[in-house]
Amino acid sequence: MAGLAKGLAVIEAFGDASSQLTVAEAARRTDVTRAAARRCLLTLTDLGYLTHDGKFFRPTPRMLRLGGAYLDTASLPVLAQPHLVAARDELAESVSLAVWEDGWSVFVARAEAERIVSTGVRVGARLPAHCSATGRVLLAALDHEALAAYLARGNRARRTVRTLVAPEDITAAVQVVRVDGHATSDEELELGMRAVAVPVTDARGRTVAAMSVSASSARVTADELHRDFVPVLAGHAARLGRML
């Protein structure tokens, strides 16, 4: 089982910032020895999950099966999809659903708008909670102790000149979410991109996910996000929540 744990850690090391890995990089990212990382990488290659060109290991399409098992069977993404599609059609912008995972906002469902330039968000992508709209909605659902523990980690990268990274600034932004019922990220993740998100709460009032829209700042103003997008998102999030 220790070998399985190491193999899963190696799989998780592949992501947005690491589409290919050497043995040394995999060892460093997973905190295992180079020998253990090499064994895991070669085993995954033999099983068809990775390819190897002599230096770099890269995921193959077979890797999609691992995430597909969740996406095809979990009730939340399945139930959410019609609501995401309806909100997308109403707003003419891509709409996503994200859940909390250890300090990250992870996208589990999405309805993509047809545009020449995509926002780059996809199912399975992770965004840092401190500077993403979905992340702030999910942070707002944490109790005082859990939020303090998250802020104490100190792993908050500055993505743009507008990114909030100071604990007091993030705490203030989270408090705004709790009062307003929605969160925004205005060019904090990427210059030229804005996003707004609302909570999806279940029958017990617990926030189980965040529903969001991201759009080009050249196409949508901050005022439009609040005035036009929030009511639509909130309506669809409420309808989804009544099903949970």
Side-chain angles (χ1 to χ4, degrees), residues 100-106 126-140 142 147 150-160 162-175 177 183-190:
W100 174 263
E101 184 191 348
D102 193 29
W104 296 86
S105 169
V106 181
R126 300 192 308 170
L127 296 181
H130 71 284
C131 59
S132 60
T134 51
R136 286 184 182 154
V137 164
L138 298 169
L139 284 173
L142 300 180
L147 179 60
Y150 167 78
L151 294 172
R153 297 182 191 178
N155 185 22
R156 297 179 297 277
R158 187 179 296 278
R159 300 287 291 263
T160 76
R162 305 191 65 170
T163 305
L164 300 182
V165 294
E168 59 271 21
D169 292 335
I170 296 169
T171 299
V174 169
Q175 285 299 113
V177 176
T184 58
S185 176
D186 195 350
E187 299 188 293
E188 291 188 54
L189 272 171
E190 179 183 347

Side-chain angles (χ1 to χ4, degrees), residues 59-205:
T60 70
R62 185 167 186 170
M63 194 75 80
L64 294 172
R65 297 185 187 181
L66 301 178
Y70 168 77
L71 296 173
D72 290 343
T73 60
S75 61
L76 181 59
V78 173
L79 292 173
Q81 196 62 36
H83 299 282
L84 302 182
V85 170
R88 176 203 62 193
D89 293 345
E90 198 168 342
L91 296 171
E93 298 287 353
S94 299
V95 182
S96 304
L97 190 79
V99 298
W100 174 263
E101 184 191 348
D102 193 29
W104 296 86
S105 169
V106 181
F107 287 85
V108 296
R110 182 168 171 83
E112 191 80 39
E114 293 186 6
R115 295 198 177 277
I116 296 176
V117 179
S118 169
T119 60
V121 174
R122 68 184 189 283
V123 172
R126 300 192 308 170
L127 296 181
H130 71 284
C131 59
S132 60
T134 51
R136 286 184 182 154
V137 164
L138 298 169
L139 284 173
L142 300 180
D143 60 27
H144 177 75
E145 291 75 16
L147 179 60
Y150 167 78
L151 294 172
R153 297 182 191 178
N155 185 22
R156 297 179 297 277
R158 187 179 296 278
R159 300 287 291 263
T160 76
V161 295
R162 305 191 65 170
T163 305
L164 300 182
V165 294
E168 59 271 21
D169 292 335
I170 296 169
T171 299
V174 169
Q175 285 299 113
V176 170
V177 176
R178 290 170 174 165
V179 172
D180 293 348
H182 65 270
T184 58
S185 176
D186 195 350
E187 299 188 293
E188 291 188 54
L189 272 171
E190 179 183 347
L191 291 176
M193 295 302 301
R194 293 189 173 107
V196 64
V198 301
V200 176
T201 56
D202 63 13
R204 298 173 62 182

